[in-house]
Amino acid sequence: MLLAIDCGNTNTVFSIWDGTRFLATWRIATDHTRTADEYFVWLSSLMAMTKTDATVTEAIISSTVPRVVFNLRVLCNRYFDCRPLVVGKPDCRLPVAPRVDLGTTVGPDRLVNTVAGHDRHGGDLIIVDFGTATTFDVVDDDGAYVGGVIAPGVNLSLEALHNAAAALPHIDVAKPDKVIGTNTVACMQSGVYWGYVGLVEGIVREVRRERDRPMKVVATGGLASLFAQGTALFHSIEDDLTMHGLVLINDYNKETA
């Protein structure tokens, strides 16, 4: 079975794929000081508790935090006796190479989402990922990543607003009942929610104008469903897009080995 690991700036997700479906998915806070032994104690306990009868024989890692990759590699080597594929490394092949400026390093998460998005929706696609950063990935008709946009993430913006303005409290991200707030929290929620809806709609509009063709829009990430309530822009919400991409890349590397 395949252990798929998606390490983001905030959380790291582990999923077990049995060849036809994901048996289980678990999430842990990303911490570069966490050792391979700690990962295994946590992961093996969850596998036992959920009765996930899985013998891991292969693994693939996507990580936007380079410092965690070493311990994740050790986890796979020491406890599952397999050498993991690491997206973005030279020995991990992609179905279509990205077409970006020479010397540019594309985030592994964006490469994985591109592969998954093209598989499910074809080309001429914009993938909006509501993560620590809000990213927009542009996928060409042949499945190549051809660039995108990076904006501050929703929670990152809220944290910056709170830190810069002492009188403003921490708030949860929520869709407000009204645009015009009548108290501080409601005003902040409206600004963040409708501000990000406007940001997403505006960037997608400009990408479509620049590409001069119809383009589908897919949303992923933890807040995708919430922001989909405020716009008709998204053709689909894909909660498992990154994990699907990891499975596809792992299969592609086995087929072309």
Side-chain angles (χ1 to χ4, degrees):
M1 295 188 186
L2 174 67
L3 174 62
I5 304 173
D6 171 34
C7 177
N9 290 292
T10 304
N11 293 307
T12 301
V13 180
F14 294 73
S15 287
I16 303 290
W17 174 257
D18 72 352
T20 58
R21 65 188 180 94
F22 287 108
L23 298 179
T25 296
W26 304 287
R27 186 180 302 265
I28 192 172
T30 298
D31 180 358
H32 72 273
T33 65
R34 186 173 286 114
T35 66
D37 301 330
E38 289 174 308
Y39 277 121
F40 182 71
V41 169
W42 171 79
L43 186 58
S44 60
S45 298
L46 286 171
M47 291 171 69
M49 288 174 62
T50 55
K51 296 181 171 57
T52 304
D53 185 18
T55 300
V56 173
T57 57
E58 51 189 335
I60 184 168
I61 299 168
S62 168
S63 177
T64 59
V65 186
R67 289 191 293 177
V68 306
V69 174
F70 174 78
N71 283 324
L72 290 174
R73 280 183 182 271
V74 173
L75 167 71
C76 297
N77 286 323
R78 178 180 298 165
Y79 290 106
F80 300 115
D81 194 28
C82 64
R83 182 175 182 271
L85 275 173
V86 180
V87 179
K89 299 299 183 183
D91 62 340
C92 182
R93 295 176 295 277
L94 299 173
V96 184
R99 291 194 288 271
V100 293
D101 294 344
L102 188 65
T104 298
T105 300
V106 181
D109 55 332
R110 308 184 79 176
L111 297 174
V112 173
N113 284 349
T114 294
V115 171
H118 184 260
D119 178 72
R120 286 182 170 173
H121 303 281
D124 293 328
L125 181 69
I126 303 169
I127 301 170
V128 184
D129 189 345
F130 292 92
T132 304
T134 301
T135 60
F136 300 73
D137 303 326
V138 181
V139 185
D140 212 345
D141 56 359
D142 65 346
Y145 171 87
V146 293
V149 177
I150 301 175
V154 180
N155 287 311
L156 192 63
S157 296
L158 280 173
E159 189 67 24
L161 186 62
H162 170 73
N163 289 337
L168 296 181
H170 281 290
I171 64 167
D172 294 328
V173 183
K175 182 184 178 184
D177 295 329
K178 300 183 295 181
V179 175
I180 301 173
T182 53
N183 57 68
T184 301
V185 170
C187 289
M188 293 175 67
Q189 285 179 330
S190 184
V192 169
Y193 187 85
W194 294 114
Y196 267 86
V197 169
L199 178 146
V200 171
E201 291 180 337
I203 289 176
V204 167
R205 181 186 65 244
E206 291 305 307
V207 170
R208 285 172 166 166
R209 182 188 61 79
E210 192 169 291
R211 298 281 291 173
D212 193 24
R213 67 189 72 178
M215 300 193 74
K216 299 180 291 293
V217 184
V218 172
T220 189
L223 294 174
S225 296
L226 175 64
F227 282 94
Q229 297 173 24
T231 179
L233 184 68
F234 303 129
H235 291 77
S236 179
I237 307 297
E238 307 279 350
D239 293 332
D240 65 340
L241 192 68
T242 303
M243 285 300 166
H244 179 62
L246 286 173
V247 170
L248 293 173
I249 292 172
N250 187 71
D251 288 346
Y252 179 78
N253 278 264
K254 288 195 295 184
E255 292 167 2
T256 57

